[in-house]
Amino acid sequence: MTAFERLARRRQWLLLGAAAGFTAWQAAFLFPKARPGFATLLSLPGFALFFVSFGAMWFWAKAASDGGVGDSLEDEMTRHNRLLALAAGFWAMLSIGALLLAAAPFVPVDASQAARLVLIGGVAVPLVRFAMLERLVDDGE
Amino acid sequence: LTTENSRLGNRLKVHRARAGLTQGQLAEAVAVSRRTINSVENGIFVPSTELALRLGAALGASVEELFFLPDDGVSPAGLPRSGLH
């Protein structure tokens, strides 16, 4: 496995870690009636996972740049995959917003919870989609 | 830029083999990753005009020789229709 392949694979795992961390961090606040301490128990590790994943991604991106594989790791297809992932995030936010709007007449929807759900869709979906697209390219080799 | 189900055909692999280059060597010559070259060859990823021009320059071929529309009845310059990707 080359340095590029190793870093690309590591980035995929970090993207999934960041998505899981952000989801846990924000989802913890979706259940205000849960046992006291539940939100902290779920959100703190989630917060830590999210920021550690992003920090590691930044660190490895710099290492890749110093090691001469930065351009390959950030080439045309990667940028294209990232755009596709961001588009997936847009559709996820739109879908969640529409679902909440449709549910609003029947179920009381708290504004902050609705905002959190939209936020989770807008952050976690692109991260997962980007990792999936990158994995698909690797698997196609 | 597009991916998947693209209608654009290419003869990148043929020209690369003709030039005696591996995917890795071609990738290095045009400053992309090897998997990008692999994806272009397999029709998964359609490169930008800039990358297509760089590929052409690296392989000593025109963009029309490397890429073509399979359904428009126009074969790539100087190459037979048979065996097109």
Side-chain angles (χ1 to χ4, degrees):
Chain A
M1 190 181 268
T2 63
F4 166 81
E5 288 165 343
R6 203 170 49 248
L7 287 167
R9 186 53 62 100
R10 194 171 291 166
R11 177 169 61 185
Q12 290 161 19
W13 283 112
L14 289 171
L15 284 163
L16 294 175
F22 187 82
T23 303
W25 174 25
Q26 292 301 315
F29 298 101
L30 291 175
F31 311 100
K33 290 175 184 168
R35 281 174 49 192
F38 172 78
T40 311
L41 198 69
L42 189 61
S43 69
L44 269 183
F47 174 83
L49 181 60
F50 178 68
F51 277 94
V52 165
S53 298
F54 260 99
M57 260 189 281
W58 178 83
F59 175 79
W60 291 120
K62 194 174 177 315
S65 185
D66 294 344
V69 291
D71 286 345
S72 297
L73 208 59
E74 198 55 38
D75 72 350
E76 189 174 306
M77 194 171 62
T78 302
R79 292 197 302 272
H80 179 59
N81 283 343
R82 188 178 289 120
L83 285 177
L84 289 177
L86 287 172
F90 166 78
W91 288 112
M93 289 173 77
L94 202 64
S95 303
I96 293 168
L99 280 173
L100 288 168
L101 194 65
F106 311 104
V107 183
V109 179
D110 178 70
S112 67
Q113 288 182 340
R116 275 185 208 284
L117 283 170
V118 171
L119 202 60
I120 289 170
V123 174
V125 169
L127 290 170
V128 172
R129 183 71 181 136
F130 185 39
M132 281 170 56
L133 286 168
E134 291 285 286
R135 181 63 61 91
L136 276 175
V137 171
D138 286 346
D139 290 347
E141 286 194 301
Chain B
L1 298 172
T2 53
T3 49
E4 298 169 15
N5 306 320
S6 170
R7 289 179 59 250
L8 193 70
N10 77 79
R11 289 184 62 86
L12 192 61
K13 195 171 185 174
V14 173
H15 282 273
R16 179 174 59 77
R18 213 175 266 171
L21 295 174
T22 64
Q23 286 186 342
Q25 288 167 330
L26 180 59
E28 202 172 322
V30 297
V32 296
S33 62
R34 188 179 65 80
R35 62 183 192 168
T36 296
I37 298 296
N38 185 64
S39 297
V40 173
E41 284 187 357
N42 291 328
I44 296 168
F45 177 65
V46 177
S48 67
T49 310
E50 185 192 342
L51 179 54
L53 288 166
R54 275 193 273 141
L55 286 167
L59 295 171
S62 68
V63 173
E64 289 87 347
E65 285 175 306
L66 295 179
F67 300 98
F68 57 93
L69 294 168
D71 299 331
D72 68 358
V74 178
S75 66
L79 294 168
R81 283 281 302 172
S82 59
L84 296 181
H85 176 69

